[in-house]
Amino acid sequence: MRVELGYLHNPKAPAADAAVAAVLRAVERSRADGLPLAGLHIAFDWCQYRHTFREPVVDRRSVGPGEAPAVRELAVDLRQAEADRLEHLAERALRRLAALPAPAPDRLYLEEFVPLRRSVIWRFNALYWREIERWETTLNRPFEAALPGGKSDASNPAQVEEAVEQFFEGLRALDKRGALPPELFVLEIGAGTGERAGLWLDRFRDLADSQGKDYYGRVRFLLSDYSMPMLERAHGNVLRHADKVSFLGLNATDPLRSLGFLRYKILCVHISNVYDNLPTDEVAKRDGRLYLVEARAYVGREAAVEVGQRYGVEPEALLRQVDLLLRIGPEASPDPAQGVGFWRDLWQLVRLEERYVPTDVRDPALIPGLDPEVLAEVLEGWPGDLRCHLSNGAVQSFVRTLPLLHPKGTLQVQDLFVTDLTEYGRGFRGPGKLDGSIVNWVNGALLRTAADRLGYRLHWAPFLYRPGSAIRIL
Ligand SMILES: C[S@@+](CC[C@H](N)C(=O)[O-])C[C@H]1O[C@@H](n2cnc3c(N)ncnc32)[C@H](O)[C@@H]1O
């Protein structure tokens, strides 16, 4: 049996010896009852996100040939777990692991098991950005209110100023060699409110003016997002630079598809707080074998029925209403404000069951578009057990952005990165819920190896502009 005390590394996590002991008592009782415990792995986390897809105690098992699963696992979120209930919850989970896998009658399933990146939770995430106006106006708070400090770090003035100065330096160097292109293309992906773009352009214009350069006149700022309401909002925030900005509906996972005509031409690409919001899978390495995490989203049946009652949805119509919500949006309800209420309350209930499916590290389907040797290089040398993100969406975005860069161009990514795989053992890295969206830390070790293989240089810098920030700049 293996016990992982990931919470110890989180300074915010209180002492949890009593909770850990309660789970171990449940293990002892299960042993006395003759339950199979071979291969048991217990992970204690302290999930820093107020809302996650986890129950206080989760059981996971591997699937595959043979009757007994090779992996049995309990994951405990010490933040949610009340010590006096924990023993009972752990015992129940251990009994479930000893029995044949079966759907739980007290859960209403929203899907069948699928790799995490294909889970229905991502449709909720996309709905959030598509319907952000209605969500915010109905609930009367901006999406930024859910961020640490209530504000996006992307528009930190000191950081924007430094980024502009670095970009300017690069332009001057090209200019001196007579190699500055006539048009200076700049791209922001997932630009959100456009506040950063506005600040960036202000600063760029002022710097160009003060240095007597005509760079501002030559700049072509491509402001992109896949959310039409966000683009609309951004439009309002950069009106003062209207003749410099073009607005693009662009999917961050494939910038090259929309912008192929600018291959090798873009001098600066910026993307912040988007990679952590792109669909991702997770893999687990247990006793030298690699497993893909499959998930099945569900809501507690009783609580979901209560939500339905609150918004006039009959119990037998719940799944149909969720489907309508995801396809059409809150207008699928006779009163769209009620539709938002149904959506928010149901979203809070969504949890994930998980199972481990054996996989091959060189399976090209794991991260489509990436040389499978990259994943092999990152994971094969890893000595022990590990669970980490594949960051499929982020990797795809990265690989499909690089060819747009001018030979002297830069891609700057500001996000929650795990730069070293050991960090996965030192804290919870998602998925968490941020308001109606999803957040997962990004596997930077994988990005670095991908960049190396493609011949790009990649650097990390801490985000020093807000004390205590976990953000890093790539
Ligand atoms: C957390 S907000 C960040 C906004 C801004 N970059 C910032 O840091 O303040 C995420 C933004 O990414 C956009 N987004 C999420 N997934 C996307 C995708 N696949 N393609 C393009 N934009 C996406 C959302 O619409 C939203 O505007």
Side-chain angles (χ1 to χ4, degrees), residues 178-224:
L180 195 64
E183 292 180 301
L184 311 177
F185 287 104
V186 175
L187 167 67
E188 183 167 353
I189 301 174
T193 61
E195 201 181 331
R196 181 184 195 279
L199 279 177
W200 192 98
L201 281 158
D202 290 346
R203 183 65 199 134
F204 186 68
R205 179 197 51 207
D206 296 348
L207 193 57
D209 285 353
S210 69
Q211 303 281 319
K213 296 287 178 191
D214 64 349
Y215 301 163
Y216 177 71
R218 290 157 72 173
V219 81
R220 305 282 174 266
F221 197 105
L222 309 172
L223 189 156
S224 72

Side-chain angles (χ1 to χ4, degrees), residues 125-126 128-130 132 143-144 147 151-155 188-196 224-228 230-231 249-254 270-279 414 434 437:
N125 182 68
Y128 176 72
W129 296 117
R130 202 168 73 227
I132 189 72
F143 81 90
E144 291 100 326
L147 301 175
K151 207 169 162 26
S152 171
D153 281 334
S155 37
E188 183 167 353
I189 301 174
T193 61
E195 201 181 331
R196 181 184 195 279
S224 72
D225 204 289
Y226 78 164
S227 157
M228 292 306 129
M230 275 302 184
L231 282 178
L250 175 146
N251 194 327
T253 58
D254 197 355
H270 178 88
I271 176 163
S272 55
N273 307 315
V274 178
Y275 277 13
D276 65 1
N277 187 235
L278 297 177
Q414 219 164 284
L434 260 193
S437 73

